[in-house]
Amino acid sequence: MKQMHAILAALRGLLRQTGATLGLGFLGLIVLIAVFADLLPLDPLGQDFLRTLEGPSRDYWFGTDELGRDILSRVVFGARTSLVTAAGAVTIAALIGVPMGLIGGFFGGWRDAVLMRLVDVMMALPAILFAMALIAVFGRSQGAALLAVGITGIPGFARIVRAQVLTLRKRDFVVAVEAFGGTASYNMFRTILPNSWSQILVQVVVLSSVAILLEAALAFLGVGVPPPTPSWGEMLRTGKSYLHEAPYYAVLPGIVLTLTILAFDSIGRGLSRLIENPRDAALQGSLK
Amino acid sequence: MTEPVLSVRGLTVSFPGILGRVPVVRGVDLDVHAGEVLCIVGESGSGKSVTALAVAGLLPQTAQVDGSVRVKDTDVIGADAGTLRRMRGRDVGFVFQDPSTTLNPVLPVGRQMTEGQVALGLLPRREAGARAVELLREVDVANPEGRAGQYPHEFSGGMRQRAVIGMAMAGRPGLIIADEPTTALDVTVQAQVLDVLDRRQRETGAAVVLITHDLGVVAEVADRVAVMYGGRIVETGQVEDIFARPRHPYTAALLHSIPRMDTTDRRLDPIPGNPPSPAELPVGCAFEPRCSVGGGRPKCLAEDPALRAVEGGGATACHFWQETPPAMQPAEVRDAPSAPAERQTLLEIRDLKVHFPVRRGILQRVTGHVRAVEGVNLTVHAGETVSLVGESGCGKTTTGKAVMGLTRATAGDILLEGASVLGLKATDMRSARRKMQYIFQDPFSSLNPVKTVEDIVAEPLHIHGLYNEMGGAQRIAELFDLVGLSTSMFGRYPAEFSGGQKQRIGIARALVLQPRLLILDEPVAALDVSIQAQILNLLEDLQKELNLGYLFIAHNLSVVRHISDRVAVMYLGRIVEESDRDTLYDMPVHPYTQSLMSAAPVPDPVAGRSRERIVLEGEVPDPADPPPGCAFAPRCFRATGICRSAPPPFEQYAGSESRAACYHAGPLEPGQSRQRTGT
Amino acid sequence: MIAFIGRRILQLIPVLLIASVGIWAMLYAVPGGPIGVIVGENATPESIEAARREFGLDRPVAVQYADWLINAVRGDLGASIHSREPVFDLIMDRLPATLQLAVAATIVALVLGIPVAVISAMYPGGWADRILSGWSALALGVPTFWLGILLILWFAVDLRWLPSVSQHVAIWADPAVALRNLILPAITLGVYVSGVIARFLRASLVTELNADYVRTVRSKGLTEGAIMRLHVLPNALLPFITIVGLMMASFIGGAVVTEAVFTYPGLGRLLIQAINTRDYPLIQGCIVVILVIYVLINLTVDILYAYVDPRIEYA
């Protein structure tokens, strides 16, 4: 119940900021469309061979591609691919990264050394290369893309949570729990974790946009979600071959992708701003 | 009379808040003349620091500043950036509170000391280096040639603050503003810094505005005093008058609420309530809600009194200032502590040592140890307060944490009710921790910000699975009542409470498991003086009611004298002197204890200034590399050859109850401390 | 100082070792294992056995790894399955193109990023700050490949000023042609990083501007410009060294996408080709080289940082 309260307070705080409100609005729209895409009169796979590479019209608002498929439908279903990959990847990254950071930061010593060397290894390659190497091993599929993007997100969570734990660990209220006999696991999960939710939330938002970008980049390079599943990156990849004949093909999906990333970014910045100077007493309690 | 160096008329400052502008300074008038020291004293939120910053035009852009401020011949308010800059560089020197952050960490200190002069063309660039060395020498920094090229992190805190003073006086400005210049420093270092400030002020004839919350410092250095409360000056006058015959109930109440190191024991007389928040000031007199004189009189409630001159010099802002209670109240002697032999022994610390390894080199090998605690023996009985007193880094807090098991003891033993708590299994340690509890210095960081205060106080019960057994919500309500909080506050978060209330919550939490022993680590150091008295009284009452034993860790000698039955003085990991409270304060025999007591400022401008003061040279040595023999020898005025060869034994001093670790223990003879041995 | 460098290098060894095991083990995680990689899908049992002996795959796994590692340290990364040429030579062929692009992009990023940060930090909350913060959000939000496509549309397709496919021409061979080929990829890659730099540097400048020592400097009567130049920038630029290093390092590998957009003949293109043709020795080689460069740049940055910051002791 308390978490609900904190989330509502955060939402109220975000809605006070213009940028974050716009971001939330756009993202809400994208999510709604992606969830209810099946109910809309859209067909991402149907081909109309008579009308290939046709510009935006009354029938095809975003135009058609080289196979005569409706680009708007493919953008809508591409949103689904993006969001599913992002959600799955963030979940994987958080489920592995958060405990890594908690354990390393709290116990220190050899556990910390081992976990942090692992993180160093994962960060020794740029995320996109790391993901490509993983896909080279797993083979190309939607699952592989999701897993690869998720694994590259682990170090981010581990580092942020660890840093948070290291700051909190020295704070008197954590020492106090130890002083009146609280066990290490009590302290980790009941004292430190609840004080880290806001940082984790910011990282979730940041990583979501990174994941969407990464998924699109992999598809753009031809190693992401395999066709014919619609993906924004894949559309840009094909669209790039028809820049002379059909410039809208690469431009319109790119606009949607960019707006989605900007939306996440504005929400992330809004959240950080809330943490830095909360106006709401409940926020001060729960977000700090 | 000559023109004042600084003249302030009708100064108001407000900052933007959630519900409109918040007035922080509400009409301040001030004059300071050359060669004069004006102290502005007040609690947090009184507007004293903002006043000081406004004088130099250093407030942020968001501040709305009105009225008139004149420094020499510059009108500060409304001046353009260039005029302000020249005024700051030529006419005003600033000394800020925290010497660890006031210098740029990546530039050499010497360059920072002279750059203002160089930038304004008052000092040729090629002479800057030599001038910096000269300035450092003037503020008693040893080896100034070598020091000028060093970075701030290579300076100790006291040295840094002296360098800042040198910097502020570099251009011989007519006005020095010092904002809490010694608050972050230890008392022996504070004495050095105040000494330098005083000497340089006399040499340059500057006017000084010194802002502080410490009445002892005020009594020590001020010529004139302005007391601020709720954004206004409520009383001004000569320092002797302020302390002897206060003319505002707030000044009188402040004097009553501070513990004294030099007088007999009496119960403190705290000011009820909290200092007002600038956003929620009452309509009438800002002090009325806490005032013993006003007492709800209609005039006080309706009309904010103006500051007006009164006969005999000085001015007050009180409608009924004639009724102000006298400064001194008759001493009321507390119950004498009964003989320790009859009492149950709660805690016994035997030869405790705590060392922290120092790692260096490629392989991070342990190359040495910080000897934080080096052989401490101490006993605490039920119903008794034993204090550990010393400067920062002496090992007093580490001792407390080692007793709680929060820091691992390297050697020695700790007995709680006769049973050792070292090397206990985790479960046994948990049950041992029910008998002793810890109270933290900083009430702001010791409470979990995401829990309600009810949950915070109940947390120890939940951890030990005793919540229902010990009475549940009923028990929490009892504790709230015991520490003077209302149960209507149950659902609130710590951020909604003031410092004093938070410390009460911390105390309630510590008591919930019914411990026998409390370890109090500087429990009042972070609080305003008027709130300190409330908490000290609460602690005394609780001790009497619950027969608790206190291990009280503090650096403030007045607070320690007030609350303790026995006192142990620590220096560099060892106890150098231990005795019952009155013997220790009336006739200290260890030269360190004597220096500490003489360095501590006394809130009495007459007696305080006439006493002989020992200003120690140098600073506390590095505990990783302590000097051979007696650790205090390098700074000691009695040290001889034997002191540097072997550490002195901790023995009974023949002339009194005291035990001390000194080859030359004995009461202070007049004039003796002048034969100092330099570092 | 030497001890400090020594310790940093020692700390790198476990990272490099773990990473090398990972890269080497890639072959074994692939369906069909290393033999499948070598002989392809339509292999007969005889050819499999022959390959097993020829490539020493009948030896114990640890020996195979040690052998691979020793060869890799010597610069022998095996031969490409596809072209049969040594992997090391293939990579060295492409590396100069990628390095040239990385340097050009760093210049673009710094030239665009630093002024933006300084101007927004000097007037936080003002109109300039709002506009410039919006600009850095845009720089961060626009995917590099889409930005590349837009640039090609404007400058190559519409205006026909610049080529849409970039060749590698060494800058000292023919500066004019080299710049024509480099300018669009460098902007594409540099704009994103200029956003990172602007946001990071603005934050640390604002923090430093509010530090106590700045108030001290102001009380000495220095001008705002001098305060920024002499005090705030030196402090804010210290952590910034790390960021610039990280950026340069990520250009080496992160250029993959940009190289794909402009079909620029760099290391990234080589890697994509290798993945598409399942040329595993080449994939391994590319990753090893990028990893080593990345680690070396980070090491240099750490040492530089310790050298510049007086507070760090080389103990």
Side-chain angles (χ1 to χ4, degrees), chain B residues 346-358:
Chain B
L346 284 182
L347 173 73
E348 228 184 314
I349 305 174
R350 287 187 191 157
D351 207 24
L352 177 72
K353 289 184 182 173
V354 182
H355 295 175
F356 300 109
V358 180

Side-chain angles (χ1 to χ4, degrees), chain A residues 75-98:
Chain A
V75 167
V76 167
F77 279 84
R80 195 180 263 193
T81 312
S82 272
L83 293 177
V84 166
T85 312
V90 170
T91 312
I92 291 173
L95 284 181
I96 301 175
V98 170

Side-chain angles (χ1 to χ4, degrees), chain C residues 110-124:
Chain C
L110 292 176
V111 167
L112 285 179
I114 294 181
V116 167
V118 172
I119 295 169
S120 355
M122 284 188 86
Y123 312 99

Side-chain angles (χ1 to χ4, degrees), chain B residues 8 44 74 146 149 168 189 226 244 290 359 384 409 447 486 494 496 533 570:
Chain B
V8 178
S44 52
T74 312
V189 181
R290 307 174 73 190
R359 293 172 194 278
E384 175 190 46
L447 305 179
S486 153
E496 299 168 61
M570 278 187 85

Side-chain angles (χ1 to χ4, degrees), chain B residues 60-140:
Chain B
Q61 306 252 312
T62 50
Q64 170 79 37
V65 187
D66 291 298
S68 103
V69 174
R70 212 177 159 74
V71 176
K72 283 195 169 165
D73 40 17
T74 312
D75 273 316
V76 174
I77 294 170
D80 62 90
T83 314
L84 267 184
R85 219 168 47 234
R86 278 188 297 278
M87 182 273 290
R88 285 180 206 140
R90 270 178 229 273
D91 300 331
V92 185
F94 233 107
V95 181
F96 294 99
Q97 170 170 354
D98 186 355
S100 62
T101 57
T102 47
L103 289 170
N104 185 342
V106 302
L107 285 184
V109 174
R111 208 181 120 194
Q112 297 190 54
M113 292 182 75
T114 52
E115 70 174 341
Q117 298 301 106
V118 173
L120 289 165
L122 304 173
L123 180 69
R125 190 172 294 275
R126 62 200 144 70
E127 288 169 27
R131 176 72 178 137
V133 171
E134 194 182 325
L135 286 170
L136 281 173
R137 186 174 293 122
E138 281 171 3
V139 291
D140 298 341

